[in-house]
Amino acid sequence: LRNMDDAYSKINWESIVLIACMLPMATALEKTGGVELISEGLIQVLGDYGSLGVLAGIYLLTMLFGQFISNTATAVLFSPIAMNAAIVLDANPYTYLIAVAAASSMAFATPVASPTNALVMTAGEYKFSDFLRIGIPLQIVMFIVMMIVIPLFFPL
């Protein structure tokens, strides 16, 4: 970077605006009881499978949303949900937050959420279906790996 104009031209302003808009949405979810509603719903559906089952559900839900909105915005939205679920289950909140951080970055199945995917799509002349064909199996593999590795390094 040679000057401030060059620096400002390199900033992805769409991402900045998206993140700025998601922060109040996460706060609103927290203040209106949406966080508790979602986390209690996950616990009701997956609670029979224990803490690991709820962790897997949060991971999958975060990964699904991460296909359509930026990874930072996804992490901002799902962090309070994961934290609340961990507290209700009396589990380690760090484990759940690490799962959200990892899952929100797993946008392999669409070119929509990640500028990098969009750049590769254009430059490589890929189709949307190419991302689905390669991304979904990769996400399945990463899900299995993360469900082993995350609790190993951050016990429930």
Side-chain angles (χ1 to χ4, degrees):
L1 298 175
R2 305 242 187 248
N3 57 38
M4 289 307 290
D5 291 333
D6 192 28
Y8 283 124
S9 71
K10 302 295 183 204
I11 295 174
N12 186 346
W13 291 106
E14 292 145 357
S15 296
I16 301 292
V17 170
L18 179 65
I19 293 164
C21 291
M22 285 300 177
L23 288 171
M25 186 171 177
T27 303
L29 271 174
E30 204 167 333
K31 292 192 183 224
T32 61
V35 168
E36 289 85 14
L37 182 70
I38 295 168
S39 63
E40 287 173 12
L42 279 168
I43 291 169
Q44 283 180 348
V45 172
L46 300 170
D48 292 343
Y49 300 104
S51 294
L52 187 60
V54 176
L55 181 73
I58 288 172
Y59 184 95
L60 288 170
L61 198 57
T62 305
M63 189 172 60
L64 177 68
F65 270 77
Q67 301 311 303
F68 306 104
I69 59 176
S70 79
N71 61 345
T72 308
T74 305
V76 167
L77 283 175
F78 280 92
S79 291
I81 295 167
M83 180 74 92
N84 190 61
I87 290 168
V88 169
L89 291 170
D90 196 31
N92 184 358
Y94 291 120
T95 307
Y96 284 72
L97 293 174
I98 292 295
V100 167
S104 64
S105 298
M106 299 291 167
F108 304 139
T110 66
V112 177
S114 174
T116 308
N117 289 2
L119 285 170
V120 170
M121 182 178 179
T122 304
E125 298 179 3
Y126 296 115
K127 295 179 283 225
F128 197 91
S129 61
D130 295 331
F131 282 88
L132 292 172
R133 192 180 71 235
I134 300 299
I136 290 173
L138 182 57
Q139 285 182 308
I140 292 168
V141 168
M142 290 305 298
F143 169 73
I144 293 167
V145 168
M146 289 298 169
M147 288 301 103
I148 295 168
V149 171
I150 291 172
L152 187 66
F153 287 107
F154 299 93
L156 291 166

